[in-house]
Amino acid sequence: MSSVPADVLLSRAALSRLFEPSDAVGLALTVAAGPVDALRIATGSLKAGAQLHHEVAGRLDLDSGPHDVLAEALERWAPRLKDLAPERDLATMGRLGGRLVVPESPDWPAALGDLQLAAPLCLWVRGPGELPTLKRVVALVGSRDSTNYGNAVTGDLASGLVGRGFTIISGGAYGIDAQAHRAALAVGGGWEGTPTLAVMACGVDRYYPAGNEELLRAIAGQGFLVSEIPPGSSPTRWRFLQRNRLIAALSAVTVVVEARWRSGALNTAHHAAGLGRPVGAVPGSVHSANSAGCHRLLRDGSAVCVTDAAEVAEMAGPIGSEPEVEPAVPVLDHDGLPVQDILLLDALPVRATSTVDKLASVAGLSTREVIAGLSRLEIEGLAARANDGWRRAKKP
């Protein structure tokens, strides 16, 4: 943060409180005039010339005429001028151990540039280290009223992806979001990277929804809480919808695990598709309303079907960049043993002990075969010798 001029930081901090997310006129003004002069113009300390009015209108593909969009925006912003206190907001972030990341910062996520004029003015960030890079970030999103099926699939996807070195990004809400964050934190506890990142629709000093406070505190400690609006800001429907574009832009892949026919998760998927990012959808029961949105994406061709972490990881990079992973199956004691040893293993008691003669009778083997087999099983850690016989041992 020290490498960024102080007036730039203060200006972007102030503008993030003055403008609502995706305020096209405000963003166009900032691009055209720069953040410092944009704030001076917005607050009335500097008058915009005719050329700037035309440039702002041009960036918005509008004609500057009787209804000057910049002049109208200045009136719209005026009621908020009294609330500007960028020094206070930056001090609040300092007390929280957070920081303001701006486009002039070396750690600004370059992926946000794909949003073009809709790119955020800044990011208010809580969390240790630097923000993860696009190639290793996957968004898992879905219904707030998730089902047991959706929660189970989300947990498997998140844990499998974090195990492959990916960061899971979501919105910190109830349901699929929360499950994705929890599973990522559970796997990434001892990992040096970033297990998860939550993009908030309110200030990062607020834990919303309140029921996820413990989870959001954990994310701030082990991952990142990120917002484009300053500390103390409340969530609104508009801010939730605009938050989704950031989730999509920061992710290499967006996966919708569960979504109803009309769902905010579909909004995130549409943002991702518009940015040229791959979108995946998890199929569900045809009787489940919570999967209707996923099936809609699949039917429209907006998403591809994904069922496990390996398929999602492949979408995040060039085809073949991820090694094919066999489905995880439990390793059994019998695996790899010849038939005679399997018969002998089945004959070995777990708690009591048995003699060689009795084992030969139970397994249907000769005494010589039992003695040879016991030696092999002992080496494998599957048979244990006791004073009066043999018993079964668990494989190490």
Side-chain angles (χ1 to χ4, degrees):
M1 191 160 66
S2 58
S3 61
V4 180
D7 59 345
V8 172
L9 272 180
L10 288 169
S11 296
R12 288 194 176 272
L15 291 171
S16 72
R17 186 172 291 282
L18 188 62
F19 304 154
E20 277 295 309
S22 290
D23 184 324
V25 181
L27 294 173
L29 172 63
T30 304
V31 172
V36 177
D37 282 348
L39 179 62
R40 294 174 64 197
I41 292 168
T43 56
S45 63
L46 178 66
K47 184 175 177 59
Q51 181 59 37
L52 183 59
H53 281 258
H54 285 297
E55 185 175 349
V56 170
R59 290 184 179 275
L60 297 171
D61 293 325
L62 299 172
D63 293 326
S64 180
H67 300 290
D68 192 316
V69 291
L70 181 54
E72 292 176 351
L74 290 172
E75 293 183 15
R76 171 160 48 86
W77 300 328
R80 288 188 172 181
L81 295 179
K82 63 181 185 303
D83 298 324
L84 299 185
E87 295 90 349
R88 180 199 62 199
D89 291 336
L90 291 171
T92 298
M93 290 303 295
R95 289 194 299 272
L96 295 171
R99 63 194 186 281
L100 182 66
V101 180
V102 296
E104 295 82 3
S105 305
D107 57 343
W108 177 257
L112 292 175
D114 291 346
L115 290 171
Q116 299 181 10
L117 196 58
L121 289 160
C122 59
L123 293 177
W124 300 87
V125 178
R126 288 180 65 184
E130 293 188 2
L131 293 170
T133 58
L134 171 71
K135 292 182 180 179
R136 306 306 293 177
V137 180
V138 172
L140 296 181
V141 296
S143 301
R144 286 173 171 78
D145 60 337
S146 55
T147 65
N148 290 335
Y149 165 77
N151 290 336
V153 173
T154 302
D156 291 343
L157 289 175
S159 58
L161 288 165
V162 172
R164 287 171 167 80
F166 286 89
T167 294
I168 300 302
I169 184 173
S170 200
Y174 293 130
I176 297 300
D177 287 17
Q179 184 67 14
H181 292 307
R182 287 194 185 98
L185 289 172
V187 175
W191 180 43
E192 292 183 359
T194 304
T196 192
L197 186 156
V199 182
M200 311 294 288
C202 59
V204 294
D205 59 327
R206 301 187 58 171
Y207 299 112
Y208 183 90
N212 281 351
E213 178 175 349
E214 184 177 351
L215 171 63
L216 294 171
R217 286 184 181 275
I219 295 172
Q222 300 176 50
F224 289 101
L225 295 181
V226 174
S227 179
E228 63 181 313
I229 55 179
S233 301
S234 302
T236 64
R237 178 173 177 76
W238 173 255
R239 291 171 179 176
F240 274 116
L241 290 173
Q242 293 307 307
R243 173 272 305 272
N244 293 339
R245 85 190 193 287
L246 300 185
I247 294 177
L250 290 169
S251 306
V253 178
T254 294
V255 176
V256 183
V257 183
E258 276 190 324
R260 291 180 175 271
W261 187 258
R262 294 175 63 86
S263 168
L266 300 184
N267 178 258
T268 306
H270 293 149
H271 278 299
L275 292 169
R277 308 273 203 275
V279 177
V282 176
S285 168
V286 296
H287 302 293
S288 174
N290 279 57
S291 291
C294 293
H295 298 157
R296 177 182 175 184
L297 290 173
L298 293 172
R299 186 174 63 252
D300 294 346
S302 303
V304 298
C305 178
V306 292
T307 61
D308 59 29
E311 293 174 351
V312 178
E314 183 177 308
M315 293 172 67
I319 294 177
S321 62
E322 286 290 329
E324 185 175 349
V325 180
E326 294 294 329
V329 295
V331 178
L332 303 177
D333 290 346
H334 295 92
D335 290 350
L337 296 180
V339 174
Q340 290 180 340
D341 288 0
I342 292 175
L343 293 172
L344 180 57
L345 184 64
D346 287 341
L348 280 168
V350 177
R351 295 182 178 82
T353 59
S354 183
T355 64
V356 170
D357 290 339
K358 181 146 186 204
L359 288 171
S361 174
V362 173
L365 301 172
S366 68
T367 301
R368 181 186 304 172
E369 289 172 328
V370 170
I371 293 173
L374 286 171
S375 296
R376 290 192 296 270
L377 293 178
E378 187 177 24
I379 292 173
E380 291 290 332
L382 296 173
R385 192 195 305 265
N387 293 332
D388 55 349
W390 292 81
R391 64 177 176 78
R392 186 166 177 168
K394 289 187 177 181
K395 193 171 184 177

